[in-house]
Amino acid sequence: MTTATTTRTAGRATVRPRRTLDWRLRFAALSLIWGFSFLLIKVGTEGYAPFQVTLGRLVFGTAVLAAAMIVQRERLPRAARTWGHLTVAAFLLNALPFSLFAYAELTIPSTLAGICNATSPLWGMALSLVALSEDRPTRIRVAGLGLGFLGVLTVLGAWQGFTGVDATGTALALLASLSYPIGWIYVRRTLAGSRESHLSLTGAQLLLATLQLAVVTPLFTSLPTRFPVVPLLAVAALGALGTGLAMLVQFSLVAEVGPTTAQMVTYFIPVVATAAGVAILGESLTWSTPVGAAIVLAGAALTQVRRA
């Protein structure tokens, strides 16, 4: 549920943004918004094709960021090189994972999709060992990696032969979670030194992702003959709140408390997603789901431990 700017810090900002709410309240709000996003995806796909849900999400999210850029008098990046890198980032961090999660939730519960999303730090740690020379493995981080994937097997009920779990939908959700760290590593290598603001880069990134889906969606879907209201409202909320507003809240958190603390929101998302799916959508919950999710989160937390 993140963009290119998560890998960049606010260290070059000389003035902290004016506080509006205590950062803990914004942290809790961000956890709720991103946690409920999986429920909104599920509701949206009940009335529209997955690509249409993703396109609508990006349109509403881009509109929110465009409004914020106008208010703050920000401009889009000008360098062609920056636009080229942002095109790749838009695909890896927005267009691809958003679409994969939408397709995944056609066959798996929103609770499982939310838990799969929590594996992103695990994938990120595994990839960083190969792609980022400065990230050296430690015993704790390697143990966290193994523990996390043990948690995934627990969630999926591996000892029962994965019965009752749609393999295709689960694979799509895991691929979506893998796409995020690939995108983060790419951005870290190409855009970490950019002089553009977080808002400018992310606004351009979402605009590019919207254009990508605007090209793809007509090729694989037909224009809806009817527009059910509840799924449409879910898509609008998913874009405006779960994408646009969430990005703005995330910027303020990173600027105020730093990226490490801000990234802790990742560990609350599956908790909210599971509670929302069970309480609102009536999705079933076996003992292996919360137990496995707790193991995944513990493993993910260990992979983030750095040397002193």
Side-chain angles (χ1 to χ4, degrees):
M1 310 302 291
T2 332
T3 66
T5 54
T6 12
T7 58
R8 303 173 62 224
T9 68
R12 57 188 180 81
T14 56
V15 180
R16 282 188 172 185
R18 183 177 58 186
R19 297 184 182 184
T20 53
L21 288 175
D22 183 84
W23 74 267
R24 297 170 187 84
L25 294 177
R26 282 176 282 142
F27 184 95
L30 188 58
S31 301
L32 288 173
I33 290 172
W34 272 341
F36 268 88
S37 292
F38 296 95
L39 179 149
L40 295 174
I41 293 172
K42 173 67 78 172
V43 175
T45 54
E46 292 176 355
Y48 302 96
F51 275 139
Q52 293 170 345
V53 171
T54 304
L55 176 59
R57 174 182 187 174
L58 289 169
V59 167
F60 284 106
T62 302
V64 170
L65 288 185
M69 291 181 65
I70 292 173
V71 170
Q72 298 188 23
R73 297 182 180 180
E74 290 277 0
R75 294 182 177 181
L76 291 172
R78 296 183 178 181
R81 177 179 175 277
T82 300
W83 279 98
H85 291 314
L86 285 175
T87 299
V88 178
F91 176 74
L92 293 173
L93 293 171
N94 302 114
L96 179 61
F98 290 0
S99 299
L100 289 175
F101 273 124
Y103 271 101
E105 291 199 41
L106 290 176
T107 56
I108 66 172
S110 64
T111 55
L112 180 54
I115 294 171
C116 287
N117 181 75
T119 64
S120 281
L122 303 177
W123 295 118
M125 185 265 180
L127 290 172
S128 67
L129 297 179
V130 177
L132 300 175
S133 59
E134 65 268 28
D135 268 348
R136 298 299 182 186
T138 64
R139 291 181 179 179
I140 292 179
R141 298 182 70 194
V142 172
L145 184 64
L147 184 64
F149 285 111
L150 177 63
V152 172
L153 295 177
T154 303
V155 170
L156 301 180
W159 65 94
Q160 298 175 335
F162 304 102
T163 56
V165 176
D166 182 79
T168 302
T170 304
L172 291 176
L174 290 174
L175 283 174
S177 69
L178 172 61
S179 179
Y180 288 128
I182 293 176
W184 298 334
I185 291 174
Y186 178 82
V187 167
R188 185 170 171 177
R189 286 181 174 275
T190 60
L191 291 171
S194 174
R195 297 181 179 179
E196 306 289 347
S197 70
H198 296 305
L199 182 56
S200 175
L201 288 173
T202 306
Q205 179 182 311
L206 283 187
L207 175 61
L208 289 167
T210 303
L211 295 176
Q212 290 170 2
L213 262 294
V215 172
V216 171
T217 301
L219 299 177
F220 293 94
T221 64
S222 57
L223 189 67
T225 56
R226 60 187 186 90
F227 295 88
V229 176
V230 174
L232 182 59
L233 292 176
V235 172
L238 179 64
L241 300 178
T243 303
L245 180 62
M247 303 292 181
L248 299 177
V249 174
Q250 186 190 33
F251 295 157
S252 66
L253 283 175
V254 171
E256 185 172 335
V257 300
T260 302
T261 300
Q263 286 177 351
M264 290 293 289
V265 72
T266 304
Y267 307 119
F268 292 87
I269 293 174
V271 178
V272 176
T274 299
V278 172
I280 299 176
L281 297 181
E283 295 177 346
S284 61
L285 187 68
T286 61
W287 69 267
S288 61
T289 301
V291 171
I295 297 173
V296 168
L297 295 178
L302 289 177
T303 63
Q304 303 307 301
V305 174
R306 297 286 191 267
R307 287 191 175 94

